[in-house]
Amino acid sequence: MLNFEVISMLEKEDKIQGLTREAAKNKLMVDGPNEVAEPEFNFYKEVLKRLWEPSAWILEVALLIEFVLGKYIQAFFVVAMLLFSAFTGAIQSRRANTVLHSLAHKLNPTASVKRSGKWIKVPARELVVGDIISLKQGDIIPADVKILTHPISVNESSISGEAKAVTHSVATAAFSGTEILSGHTLAIVTKTGKNSRSGKTVSLINKSSAPGQLQILLGKVIGYLAILDAILAIILIIVAIIRHENLINMLPFLAMLFIATIPIAMPSSFAVANSVEAKELSKHHILVSDLSGIQEAANLNLLLVDKTGTITANKPEVVRFYNLSHVNTRDAIQYAVSVTDRRNSSVIDLAILKYAKQQGIESLNKTNFQPFNPDIGYSEATINDKTMVKLGSLKRLSNIAHSPIKLPEKIDFSSGRTVAVMVNGKIIGIFILEDQPRPDSAAAIKKIQSRGVKVIMLTGDNQKTAAAVAQEVGLKGKVVSYSDLKNVQIDQLAGISDVIPENKLEMVKLMQKQGYIVGMTGDGVNDAAALKQASVGIAVKDAVDLAKTSAKMILMRDGLMPIIEILDSGHRVYQRMLTWTITKLSRSAELSMLLVFGYIIFHFMPLGLNAMILVAILNDLVTLVLGTDNTVITHKPESWNLFNLSKIAIVLAIGWTAVGFAILYYLNANNFSSGQISSALYCYLIFSAMLTILMTRTKKTFWLGKPSKAVATAIILNCIITITLSLTGWGITSISMKLILTIAFISVLTALILTVIRKI
């Protein structure tokens, strides 16, 4: 137990002393870091898990049937399919897990801690028992603590499952991983790491994110394919019954029909594609807390950007103080500096402290200090036990002033943002703080706009200040106050002024309602809801923990330039997944129609079970590496349109299927055996699938778009394996090189014709 006396709220917080740096260092060496070792990824456990799921059950039933029928070679191929699916699924899971694990460690929260009498920021993993930490609204509590000075309201759903706010008063415990909804306090760390109540590492990564637009769209496609397969299966069974054929022999084929045509592996394929880009973004100091945000970035067409800290350097300086009262100017500034936060100083606090220091003005004694609260828009304290002082938003303080304020005409509001100081209900002065735009802001905004993304600046500043900044960074259009927003067309806006944090959620919803795919940058507690609502929520470098957990992207460097990298990643994922989607849809339809109608017309299954399994395995080999494919970045927002995707897939499916039927008809008419027909169709399905990938991965004529080495290698390897097996007769019936080359020529010719048709 810690022998630490809780200090009364009315006593000075300065009396609370933390550990020395040396003592904290020694305890860290003895107790270890404030984290919990996560269980290592167990590859073979993942393999076994994939052998006990619905898709595996279908194959396992088929395997039993083959054994019962004594078809041991076919049974071997079913086993090969089972193991291939399980191992590739485990490989994909490991790749995604590795990226998320590395990102989680990079996104470890920081804590404000008192060491050797000074407040410093340290990574949460370096906290030790006995540390004094400062907690405020928006923080995620980094370890189990005891509250020392003020009550706080906490969301404990991460450990209790209940979303209801819980209030912790002085001397009570609060727990690691919970979010502070309101209030501020000093606290002493009581338990860390695995000894904390939750026994979990505090992470900002969202490992169970909601599916993106593409997953939702393809979820519908999977449903349609399942319905189609069910209908085709019923047709096959009815035909077999009418013809008095053996239904037992047909069951393995029906099982493989479902496995080969329904994209069961779609979620893991998407996770890997997004993980590849998440890893790439981390190299550019952009951390992804929600993988779905990457693919959403491809559709982004409207970006709401905070002025302060994103467009500007977030290093404001006081350029002028206007005294609006009979109070001595020096005394007025002294009141203001006394209400700044010394423990968790904001850039506004630092600017006012610096201004006061330059004039040799010291802080007065204060009690009942409440740091800046974005819900009310100001900080406050009692000075010398009798004078109530508030420091914050001019607009918010004007609303609660005892009498209306008359601002002199000499105040130039266009020169910077305003911060007011109020004493006993009367505004006595206004600071003008100037924050220069970052040198790269204009260029970054121009680049983002060149991608077809509308950029709108958001700021709490007045309209004149906002208009001046918008003009300086090249934002064209109107700058209006938030109160006038509904009277203006969104596409006419350059900026919105007089914005308070709680307005942002309403703005995001309004613009989404008008059909925009909205991205947003933010850093504060009250930005969290809007960041979560936005399709691409982006927390900036110094955002509070709550904003980071709500956002899908977290910038680890200043400015807007990183957003270009996010857009590029989104487009790369879009193009790779577009290739995967169209190829999968067209291949599934082609295979289903050739098998079902081939059986009905020719009275036998035109593709043997072994060949069908080989088609599924070899096609999935390319899927594994498609996330590495070369892409060309387009300079306009993309659109996941089911009609357009289906149209392209249908054109390809009909074209390939028509030619496939022509090949089947020719082979059957010329008395080729069923085994030879199966091998020939197997070659055609592989060649057509590889050409479809080449056709859909680029908008150029397919031979002009260079695939990545991994994709090219997989395609060439598939073709070599196919030709080798067809010539040697390993697992399938052998056919001549002449027939293989003829099918290859027909496939290439068909690809050329379909390429021309697609461009019409």
Side-chain angles (χ1 to χ4, degrees):
M1 293 292 291
L2 289 166
N3 295 318
F4 192 93
E5 182 181 356
V6 177
I7 308 296
S8 167
M9 286 189 293
L10 298 178
E11 294 184 83
K12 294 181 180 178
E13 294 178 355
D14 288 344
K15 289 183 178 180
I16 302 176
Q17 295 298 315
L19 300 173
T20 64
R21 295 193 182 192
E22 190 64 31
K25 183 179 178 181
N26 291 336
K27 285 183 73 67
L28 185 62
M29 291 178 65
V30 174
D31 298 341
N34 176 35
E35 61 186 8
V36 180
E38 295 183 18
E40 290 187 12
F41 182 83
N42 190 317
F43 182 79
Y44 294 103
K45 187 177 180 181
E46 285 293 317
V47 170
L48 291 173
K49 186 173 77 174
R50 281 164 173 76
L51 291 173
W52 191 250
E53 59 185 12
S55 60
W57 296 340
I58 296 173
L59 282 176
E60 285 156 4
V61 170
L63 177 63
L64 288 174
I65 293 171
E66 295 297 342
F67 268 116
V68 170
L69 296 175
K71 297 181 179 180
Y72 300 116
I73 294 177
Q74 290 187 345
F76 169 79
F77 273 84
V78 174
V79 170
M81 182 65 193
L82 266 170
L83 293 177
F84 177 80
S85 299
F87 273 90
T88 53
I91 289 168
Q92 291 174 325
S93 181
R94 181 171 62 186
R95 289 170 69 185
N97 183 76
T98 300
V99 172
L100 286 171
H101 185 73
S102 65
L103 291 177
H105 282 282
K106 290 180 181 179
L107 280 172
N108 192 266
T110 59
S112 183
V113 59
K114 197 170 191 180
R115 297 262 176 90
S116 297
K118 293 184 178 179
W119 286 99
I120 58 172
K121 289 271 189 180
V122 301
R125 68 187 303 274
E126 295 179 10
L127 289 177
V128 296
V129 173
D131 265 331
I132 301 299
I133 60 175
S134 175
L135 299 172
K136 65 182 187 305
Q137 183 183 18
D139 285 348
I140 294 176
I141 299 177
D144 285 2
V145 298
K146 181 157 66 173
I147 307 302
L148 298 179
T149 57
H150 299 86
I152 55 173
S153 178
V154 176
N155 174 9
E156 293 189 345
S157 59
S158 62
I159 58 174
S160 67
E162 296 290 334
K164 186 178 178 181
V166 177
T167 299
H168 291 292
S169 56
V170 174
T172 62
F175 307 109
S176 173
T178 57
E179 301 169 358
I180 300 179
L181 300 176
S182 64
H184 70 99
T185 188
L186 295 188
I188 183 169
V189 175
T190 57
K191 293 178 182 178
T192 60
K194 64 182 180 181
N195 296 319
S196 64
R197 175 172 172 178
S198 65
K200 295 187 294 186
T201 298
V202 178
S203 173
L204 303 180
I205 283 285
N206 182 0
K207 292 186 178 179
S208 57
S209 59
Q213 291 183 63
L214 183 55
Q215 281 102 318
I216 294 171
L217 182 147
L218 279 219
K220 295 178 181 178
V221 172
I222 289 175
Y224 298 148
L225 286 174
I227 293 170
L228 174 64
D229 279 348
I231 292 170
L232 293 176
I234 291 169
I235 292 172
L236 280 175
I237 292 170
I238 291 172
V239 170
I241 291 172
I242 292 172
R243 293 175 178 174
H244 304 289
E245 293 172 347
N246 192 333
L247 287 176
I248 299 297
N249 284 331
M250 190 177 289
L251 289 178
F253 288 94
L254 293 176
M256 273 309 304
L257 180 66
F258 277 90
I259 296 298
T261 57
I262 298 176
I264 297 169
M266 182 198 74
S268 58
S269 298
F270 276 52
V272 170
N274 288 324
S275 296
V276 168
E277 284 305 320
K279 188 175 181 180
E280 186 64 27
L281 284 174
S282 70
K283 296 176 185 176
H284 297 280
H285 307 289
I286 303 161
L287 302 184
V288 182
S289 66
D290 186 334
L291 291 177
S292 69
I294 300 175
Q295 68 190 52
E296 300 289 356
N299 312 108
L300 191 68
N301 55 17
L302 176 65
L303 181 64
L304 303 177
V305 181
D306 262 342
K307 176 185 78 73
T308 304
T310 309
I311 291 177
T312 63
N314 205 22
K315 295 179 181 178
E317 292 190 354
V318 176
V319 293
R320 187 74 186 271
F321 177 75
Y322 291 97
N323 191 341
L324 306 180
S325 70
H326 299 297
V327 176
N328 179 280
T329 296
R330 187 178 180 85
D331 292 342
I333 296 171
Q334 191 170 37
Y335 279 131
V337 79
S338 301
V339 197
T340 56
D341 190 345
R342 301 297 182 95
R343 296 197 307 262
N344 288 294
S345 300
S346 67
V347 291
I348 301 298
D349 291 329
L350 293 173
I352 293 173
L353 285 166
K354 180 181 177 182
Y355 183 71
K357 186 176 180 180
Q358 289 170 346
Q359 301 183 47
I361 299 174
E362 298 289 336
S363 173
L364 296 167
N365 293 330
K366 62 186 175 189
T367 53
N368 298 329
F369 173 64
Q370 300 288 332
F372 181 82
N373 183 341
D375 291 335
I376 57 176
Y378 54 82
S379 59
E380 63 181 338
T382 304
I383 305 299
N384 296 328
D385 296 326
K386 60 181 180 180
T387 306
M388 176 60 72
V389 181
K390 303 181 191 294
L391 179 71
S393 162
L394 174 61
K395 184 176 182 179
R396 297 287 194 95
L397 291 177
S398 297
N399 291 337
I400 62 171
H402 292 170
S403 58
I405 180 174
K406 293 183 180 180
L407 299 173
E409 294 182 2
K410 63 180 180 178
I411 298 179
D412 181 10
F413 288 105
S414 65
S415 62
R417 70 184 301 179
T418 56
V419 176
V421 55
M422 172 185 278
V423 175
N424 292 333
K426 182 179 180 182
I427 295 176
I428 64 169
I430 295 174
F431 291 94
I432 303 294
L433 291 86
E434 191 176 77
D435 188 10
Q436 292 294 332
R438 292 175 51 82
D440 60 351
S441 287
I445 287 171
K446 188 175 181 180
K447 269 194 171 185
I448 294 170
Q449 290 172 330
S450 72
R451 303 295 177 86
V453 179
K454 172 75 176 173
V455 180
I456 298 177
M457 180 184 73
L458 306 181
T459 177
D461 294 344
N462 59 73
Q463 194 271 341
K464 288 184 178 180
T465 302
V469 174
Q471 185 177 13
E472 193 171 350
V473 297
L475 286 171
K476 294 181 173 59
K478 298 178 181 178
V479 176
V480 301
S481 175
Y482 173 76
S483 58
D484 300 323
L485 179 60
K486 292 184 180 179
N487 301 321
V488 183
Q489 292 293 322
I490 301 299
D491 58 5
Q492 297 175 355
L493 286 174
I496 305 170
S497 64
D498 301 314
V499 174
I500 56 177
E502 48 265 40
N503 295 151
K504 294 179 182 178
L505 177 60
E506 186 179 340
M507 282 190 288
V508 171
K509 287 182 175 179
L510 172 66
M511 293 168 188
Q512 287 176 331
K513 192 175 181 181
Q514 294 189 23
Y516 289 98
I517 306 299
V518 182
M520 178 187 156
T521 68
D523 62 353
V525 178
N526 286 352
D527 293 341
L531 287 170
K532 184 168 283 190
Q533 176 70 27
S535 297
V536 187
I538 304 170
V540 298
K541 183 180 177 183
D542 296 319
V544 300
D545 292 340
L546 188 58
K548 289 177 179 177
T549 58
S550 301
K552 294 180 178 178
M553 307 281 182
I554 301 169
L555 307 184
M556 303 306 288
R557 70 182 203 262
D558 295 319
L560 287 167
M561 279 298 184
I563 294 175
I564 306 296
E565 303 291 346
I566 293 172
L567 294 174
D568 287 353
S569 279
H571 283 287
R572 286 193 291 268
V573 167
Y574 172 86
Q575 290 190 32
R576 290 163 185 163
M577 289 297 97
L578 186 69
T579 301
W580 187 91
T581 304
I582 296 173
T583 303
K584 184 64 179 178
L585 292 178
S586 62
R587 283 192 283 112
S588 297
E590 177 191 4
L591 180 60
S592 297
M593 289 188 289
L594 284 172
L595 288 182
V596 174
F597 295 108
Y599 173 78
I600 293 172
I601 294 169
F602 301 114
H603 291 261
F604 68 93
M605 194 64 71
L607 189 68
L609 182 64
N610 296 353
M612 198 186 304
I613 290 171
L614 285 170
V615 168
I617 290 175
L618 294 182
N619 280 330
D620 280 349
L621 280 176
V622 184
T623 302
L624 285 174
V625 296
L626 205 56
T628 68
D629 195 17
N630 296 331
T631 58
V632 177
I633 303 300
T634 54
H635 285 197
K636 64 176 184 178
E638 307 289 2
S639 174
W640 288 113
N641 186 298
L642 182 57
F643 175 75
N644 289 338
L645 289 177
S646 301
K647 185 172 67 174
I648 297 170
I650 288 169
V651 168
L652 294 172
I654 290 174
W656 288 120
T657 303
V659 175
F661 269 118
I663 292 172
L664 285 177
Y665 179 81
Y666 172 82
L667 294 173
N668 190 64
N670 285 275
N671 299 316
F672 281 80
S673 70
S674 59
Q676 290 173 319
I677 292 174
S678 172
S679 297
L681 184 58
Y682 157 62
C683 289
Y684 177 71
L685 287 168
I686 292 297
F687 294 154
S688 63
M690 299 305 102
L691 285 164
T692 301
I693 288 170
L694 293 174
M695 291 163 61
T696 55
R697 59 170 300 279
T698 178
K699 292 181 180 179
K700 301 177 183 177
T701 306
F702 68 86
W703 59 83
L704 296 177
K706 183 181 178 183
S708 67
K709 287 183 180 179
V711 172
T713 301
I715 289 173
I716 293 169
L717 185 63
N718 278 357
C719 293
I720 291 172
I721 291 172
T722 297
I723 293 169
T724 302
L725 293 178
S726 299
L727 284 174
T728 60
W730 293 341
I732 57 176
T733 304
S734 64
I735 55 176
S736 67
M737 177 61 83
K738 180 182 177 181
L739 181 56
I740 294 170
L741 292 177
T742 301
I743 291 171
F745 174 77
I746 292 171
S747 300
V748 172
L749 184 62
T750 305
L752 291 172
I753 294 170
L754 289 173
T755 299
V756 173
I757 292 173
R758 278 187 64 197
K759 291 187 176 182
I760 295 175

